[in-house]
């Protein structure tokens, strides 16, 4: 007789359990596995905000493990029991899983197929999260409503509007919400037309609706932090965000544009988040640490020392490693740190507006290893626009110089230092200057005639070259992502609603190529096709506040080797976001 496995909730802290009687049931979906879901701060925030409303009972559903049923974590109810289904979408690779969860749950997958009356089995499906905030269109066929922006200012008025969901026909309910609540987009009421070459020709919304849906951002004095903790979490720590957005303006990074203007929380707001940490958890994850000021770092360091906590974070900026940061690393006994160089050469780092010279990277590596770091990770992208073999050769020389700098320091401390080089394929993202780029690093002229296979081959040849040049180096680990997976992400990132049936097929188990072929969707259209200054992008149904032409101008500045200064809302008006705010 076998013992049944315990539910993840048996060890989870922060779970909210409510009785269903006289409350509005909401299923909150996260289209990835439980360890990933319970590590996602945005998912936790939405769960907490919904359950803060006494009229609501919100239960979570995650992508089930093989052979497991799709049931809510809190009460093991099926998806068909919920009249309202919310989804938190963070990453493009989760799009097919979202479609699969709706299908597995026994719901009409497409919004157009749901009944006029909202209720269990035919729920109102509301999608949000950074994936939707970036480009809502790949998931538009599945959603009745989409939330464009951050959750805090939207959820309370949205739930107020949905309180009488059963008394108002679906179409009227959606019109009321989308025409009155900022940040709410009803995609089924917008019509898209396409030209013969597949580009967007027109976007038309109904009378009374905004022609473009403006994002909403939160005004808060409290840093978001972990509210759910589980030993099964992929990131086993208590997380606190230090701010949202980034002032640097790296041209490949969507967060630096859609979260404009960047907001750094005060030290007091961060400490409030830290003070809600359960005493038994002593590992702290800081999100956005590379942008924090020295005064904030000092106060965080004081808190960590006083409470005996250790520190963790995703990566550091090589030119912003302060003495306070090094002291925090030493006190936390942290042995592994990542630095994002992103571009293979100094020329490419100028092109992407990273602003890191080779000497910055070398100095940072030396300081970190002297502070006791045994394992240094370096993140680099290949396939950036204008990249050549000379840029890859410069990366090989940089790795050689890094090893020459850190290995003697490690030996002097009695421990061999290890360098991991993580090579990732560049994926062009909406709302960035590089939204105009072709996947694979192809020029516009090359992309006009290149096939998907040729773009993949160009990346694979670069990977083979770097393997050949670096594989004989001691104490160096090489990690490469898969160009095919990057291609899928590139397609999903810039696709419009025509991709919906493909996502459903892939979520049902069909391969990417076959799903596209059977539904007559050419991945080249979204990943490779050259895009010019005048092209209208499908994601422009959203208004991020960025003035027309700014992203193209930044793209041209990149190609001509010119950098752009950091985003400074108090003195800067370049992109138009601050002027667009009320």
């Amino acid at each position: 007789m076998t013992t049944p496995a315990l539910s993840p909730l048996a060890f989870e802290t922060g779970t909210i359990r409510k009785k269903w009687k006289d409350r509005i049931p909401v299923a909150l979906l996260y289209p990835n596995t439980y360890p990933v879901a319970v590590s996602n701060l945005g998912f936790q925030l939405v769960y907490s905000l919904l359950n803060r409303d006494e009229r609501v009972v919100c239960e979570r559903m995650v992508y089930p493990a093989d052979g497991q049923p799709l049931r809510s974590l809190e009460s093991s109810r099926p998806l068909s029991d919920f009249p309202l289904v919310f989804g938190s979408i963070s990453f493009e690779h989760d799009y097919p899983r979202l479609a699969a969860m709706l299908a597995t749950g026994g719901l009409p997958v497409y919004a157009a197929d749901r009944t006029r009356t909202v209720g269990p089995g035919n729920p109102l499906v509301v999608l949000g999260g950074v994936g939707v905030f970036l480009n809502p269109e790949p998931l538009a066929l599945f959603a009745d409503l989409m939330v464009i922006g951050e959750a805090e200012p939207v959820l309370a008025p949205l739930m107020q509007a949905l309180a009488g969901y059963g008394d108002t026909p679906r179409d009227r309910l959606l019109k009321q919400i989308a025409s009155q609540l900022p940040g709410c987009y009803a995609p089924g009421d917008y019509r898209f037309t396409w030209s013969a070459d597949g580009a967007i020709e027109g976007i038309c919304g109904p009378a009374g609706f905004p022609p473009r849906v403006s994002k909403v951002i939160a005004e808060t004095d409290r840093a978001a932090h972990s509210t759910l903790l589980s030993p099964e979490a992929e990131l086993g720590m208590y997380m606190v965000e230090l701010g949202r957005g980034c002032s640097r303006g790296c041209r490949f990074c969507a967060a630096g544009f859609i979260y404009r203007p960047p907001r750094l929380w005060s030290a007091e707001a961060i400490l409030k988040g830290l003070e809600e940490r359960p005493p038994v958890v002593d590992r702290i994850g800081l999100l956005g640490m590379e942008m924090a000021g020295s005064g904030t770092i000092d106060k965080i360091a004081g808190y960590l020392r006083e409470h005996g906590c250790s520190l963790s974070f995703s990566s550091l900026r090589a030119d912003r490693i302060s003495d306070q940061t090094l002291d925090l690393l030493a006190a936390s006994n942290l042995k592994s740190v990542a630095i994002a160089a992103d571009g293979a050469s100094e020329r490419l780092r100028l092109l992407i507006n990273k602003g890191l010279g080779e000497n910055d990277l070398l100095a940072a590596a030396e300081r970190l290893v002297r502070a006791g770091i045994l394992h240094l990770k370096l993140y680099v992208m290949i396939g950036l626009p204008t990249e050549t073999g000379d840029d890859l050769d410069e990366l090989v020389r940089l790795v050689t110089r890094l090893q020459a700098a850190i290995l003697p320091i490690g030996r002097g401390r009695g421990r061999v230092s290890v360098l991991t080089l993580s090579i990732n394929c560049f994926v062009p993202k909406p709302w960035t200057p590089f939204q105009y780029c072709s996947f694979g690093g192809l020029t516009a002229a090359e992309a006009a005639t290149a096939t998907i296979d040729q773009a993949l081959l160009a990346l694979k040849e670069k990977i083979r070259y770097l393997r050949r040049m670096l594989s004989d180096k001691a104490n160096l680990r090489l990690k490469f992502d898969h160009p095919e997976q990057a291609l899928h992400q590139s397609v999903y990132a810039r696709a419009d609603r025509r991709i919906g049936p493909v996502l459903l097929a892939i979520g049902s188990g069909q391969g990417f190529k076959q799903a596209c072929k059977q539904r007559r969707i050419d991945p080249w259209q979204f990943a490779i096709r050259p895009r010019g200054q005048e092209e209208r992008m499908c994601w422009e149904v959203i208004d991020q506040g960025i003035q027309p032409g700014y992203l193209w101008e930044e793209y041209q500045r990149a190609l001509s080797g010119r950098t752009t200064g950091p985003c400074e809302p108090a003195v800067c008006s370049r992109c138009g976001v601050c002027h667009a705010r009320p």
Side-chain angles (χ1 to χ4, degrees), residues 63 129 476:
Y63 192 74
L476 175 67

Side-chain angles (χ1 to χ4, degrees), residues 209-259:
F209 280 46
R212 301 177 70 199
V213 181
S214 297
K215 69 177 180 182
V216 288
I217 61 173
E219 302 290 344
T220 181
D221 62 354
R222 183 177 176 183
H225 55 82
S226 295
T227 54
L228 296 165
L229 295 165
S230 169
E232 293 191 28
E234 187 177 59
L235 304 176
M237 65 188 77
Y238 181 85
M239 295 179 291
V240 179
E241 64 174 10
L242 305 193
R244 293 180 189 172
C246 176
S247 64
R248 178 62 63 174
C250 294
R251 290 165 174 145
F252 64 88
C253 177
F257 290 88
I258 67 171
Y259 283 108

Side-chain angles (χ1 to χ4, degrees), residues 279-396:
V280 295
V281 180
D282 60 5
R283 189 177 175 212
I284 306 295
L286 299 179
L287 306 180
M289 182 176 166
E290 66 276 7
M291 298 305 296
S294 59
T296 299
I297 293 294
D298 282 343
K299 291 184 179 180
I300 294 172
Y303 177 92
L304 297 180
R305 283 193 296 268
E306 180 183 349
H307 294 87
C309 295
S310 62
L311 173 70
S312 182
F313 47 84
S314 56
S315 65
L316 288 174
R317 277 197 60 91
D319 57 350
R320 289 182 65 97
I321 300 176
S322 64
D323 292 338
Q324 296 98 324
T325 301
L326 292 173
D327 289 342
L328 272 175
L329 295 177
S332 300
N333 199 31
L334 203 62
K335 300 303 180 187
S336 178
V337 168
I339 296 175
D342 293 317
S345 67
E346 196 156 325
R347 182 189 70 82
L348 288 177
R349 290 191 288 276
L350 285 174
L351 177 132
I352 64 178
N353 212 43
K354 188 74 177 182
L356 287 178
E358 185 171 294
N359 289 336
D360 293 321
L361 296 168
L362 290 167
E366 288 188 27
R367 293 184 72 196
L368 289 168
V369 174
R370 289 188 192 280
I373 297 300
L374 300 175
H375 184 190
L376 192 65
K377 301 175 185 176
L378 186 70
Y379 293 141
V380 175
M381 290 183 288
I382 59 171
L384 285 165
T386 77
E387 183 178 75
T388 68
D390 290 341
D391 298 304
L392 301 185
D393 288 337
E394 187 172 323
L395 175 60
V396 173

Side-chain angles (χ1 to χ4, degrees), residues 102-143:
L102 295 176
T104 301
L107 307 184
V109 177
Y110 298 124
D113 296 332
R114 295 176 196 135
T115 59
R116 193 164 182 260
T117 302
V118 175
N122 273 280
L124 194 82
V125 176
V126 183
L127 302 182
V130 68
V132 170
F133 188 5
L134 190 58
N135 178 12
E137 288 308 300
L139 298 174
L141 296 183
F142 308 114

